[in-house]
Amino acid sequence: HSITFVPRLSLELPFFNLTARHKGIPKVIKYEGRDEAGRPIRWEVYQDTSAEIGPPAVEAHEVWYLLVKPSIDSSRRADGTIPEIIPLGGVRECLRKVGWSAGGYQARELIKALTQISFAGCVADLWVPTGDQDQEGRTRFLQIKGRFSRMSVYAIGEYHLTEDELAQNKFEFDLADVIYIRLDPLEAKLQQLQDRRILDNQYLFSLSPIARRWYELMAAKIFGVVSNNGQFCEIRYSWYIKHHHTLKPQYKRFRVVEQMKRVVKDHVERGYIRKVEYRAIK
């Protein structure tokens, strides 16, 4: 898939550890903010910390955008609803979609990445538009509130997997077996109701992990500037650092500049960004 459709709000909420570093990364993500309508957002992610599984990181990010999300979209019904059980395809086919070579080791890594996503527990309290309007013409919103895992690995072939089997990753399967996932009802609602953005997979996955997160957060903003014949856009460092949770907040200007230069390095070298300026706002 050359592009991936991504839910607007879910894209901005931190989940994947997009960094080459493994030390000092928070195991619990806590985000609080407000949506465009001023409603409060509370979002938490409790990542798995075991050596066998671990948190969803760079590989899990690739699997989500190149395999899981396209499979969800292709399974979407005519009325926009999303079924509970989603087939991802045969193991060999899944590896091809992600761009990995077909083999037993890579297949295990694929299942491990799916398990990392499955074992990350989310806590959400937010509102999403339903697409309907009330009698006064105002958009109706639905509150998403609860604890959930975005998905679970339901079965490989005809074999249904338990959490213990997934954690140990010692079960047998064939490369032709179809992988099935089960979306949590809350995740299905989030996928179904939100406005969607488009990500260019070729560009996204040509970047370093830290630069991928910049693209996810900034692509829509820069597109808005370009489509309106603008020359620049502005973001607050405090906003960005809250959404890019693997970055350590800096409080001295030269540290902020040094940090953000590393973040945008790939984009500047590719000509996506011409120049980055830093202004103190009093």
Side-chain angles (χ1 to χ4, degrees):
H1 295 274
S2 59
I3 62 172
T4 299
F5 293 93
V6 290
R8 181 179 179 181
L9 177 59
S10 294
L11 175 69
E12 293 188 354
L13 296 176
F15 183 82
F16 295 98
N17 288 353
L18 291 180
T19 177
R21 295 187 299 114
H22 298 285
K23 293 183 179 180
I25 304 301
K27 300 300 187 293
V28 178
I29 303 170
K30 292 189 177 183
Y31 171 83
E32 291 186 1
R34 291 188 176 274
D35 61 20
E36 293 182 352
R39 294 182 175 86
I41 298 174
R42 178 186 170 219
W43 173 257
E44 299 176 0
V45 180
Y46 295 83
Q47 301 174 340
D48 185 272
T49 58
S50 66
E52 293 79 11
I53 302 172
V58 177
E59 292 79 10
H61 181 261
E62 294 178 2
V63 169
W64 180 259
Y65 283 117
L66 296 176
L67 177 62
V68 177
K69 274 297 290 120
S71 298
I72 293 173
D73 291 335
S74 63
S75 299
R76 192 182 295 260
R77 302 185 182 103
D79 61 357
T81 59
I82 298 172
E84 180 184 10
I85 306 299
I86 307 288
L88 302 182
V91 176
R92 184 181 288 105
E93 179 188 1
C94 292
L95 290 169
R96 178 181 58 79
K97 289 179 180 178
V98 180
W100 298 356
S101 59
Y105 174 79
Q106 292 284 41
R108 294 285 178 183
E109 289 298 299
L110 172 68
I111 296 169
K112 181 179 179 180
L114 291 169
T115 305
Q116 290 171 343
I117 300 171
S118 301
F119 278 46
C122 303
V123 179
D125 187 358
L126 48 89
W127 297 78
V128 292
T130 63
D132 299 326
Q133 294 182 336
D134 60 19
Q135 295 179 347
E136 298 179 358
R138 294 175 299 187
T139 302
R140 294 183 185 273
F141 286 80
L142 176 68
Q143 186 177 22
I144 302 293
K145 185 175 183 178
R147 296 175 178 268
F148 64 100
S149 295
R150 305 183 77 168
M151 48 158 272
S152 60
V153 182
Y154 179 67
I156 300 181
E158 298 181 354
Y159 189 73
H160 293 259
L161 299 168
T162 66
E163 287 192 358
D164 289 340
E165 288 172 322
L166 284 168
Q168 297 298 321
N169 202 3
K170 294 181 179 179
F171 48 87
E172 297 299 323
F173 59 88
D174 190 271
L175 290 179
D177 289 341
V178 176
I179 302 176
Y180 297 88
I181 62 169
R182 169 181 279 161
L183 283 185
D184 185 272
L186 289 181
E187 178 64 29
K189 281 289 185 184
L190 284 170
Q191 294 287 336
Q192 177 183 327
L193 295 175
Q194 294 179 65
D195 294 334
R196 296 188 294 172
R197 293 175 176 170
I198 298 175
L199 293 183
D200 181 338
N201 290 329
Q202 183 176 0
Y203 184 76
L204 175 63
F205 294 104
S206 71
L207 302 169
S208 64
I210 195 173
R212 292 182 193 178
R213 187 56 177 158
W214 171 274
Y215 176 67
E216 289 180 339
L217 294 172
M218 296 300 299
K221 299 180 185 299
I222 293 177
F223 175 79
V225 171
V226 174
S227 61
N228 289 286
N229 297 317
Q231 297 296 320
F232 66 93
C233 65
E234 293 182 340
I235 61 164
R236 288 182 178 268
Y237 176 74
S238 58
W239 179 91
Y240 185 83
I241 207 74
K242 284 177 65 175
H243 292 81
H244 195 155
H245 75 282
T246 57
L247 294 181
K248 183 179 179 181
Q250 302 295 332
Y251 301 99
K252 294 183 178 180
R253 185 182 185 279
F254 80 96
R255 294 290 188 190
V256 171
V257 173
E258 184 181 68
Q259 181 186 56
M260 297 310 295
K261 280 184 176 179
R262 293 197 304 271
V263 172
V264 303
K265 179 176 179 290
D266 283 4
H267 302 290
V268 173
E269 290 178 349
R270 287 163 169 78
Y272 185 73
I273 297 174
R274 180 181 299 174
K275 183 172 61 174
V276 180
E277 295 181 354
Y278 304 89
R279 293 191 299 117
I281 301 176
K282 296 182 180 179

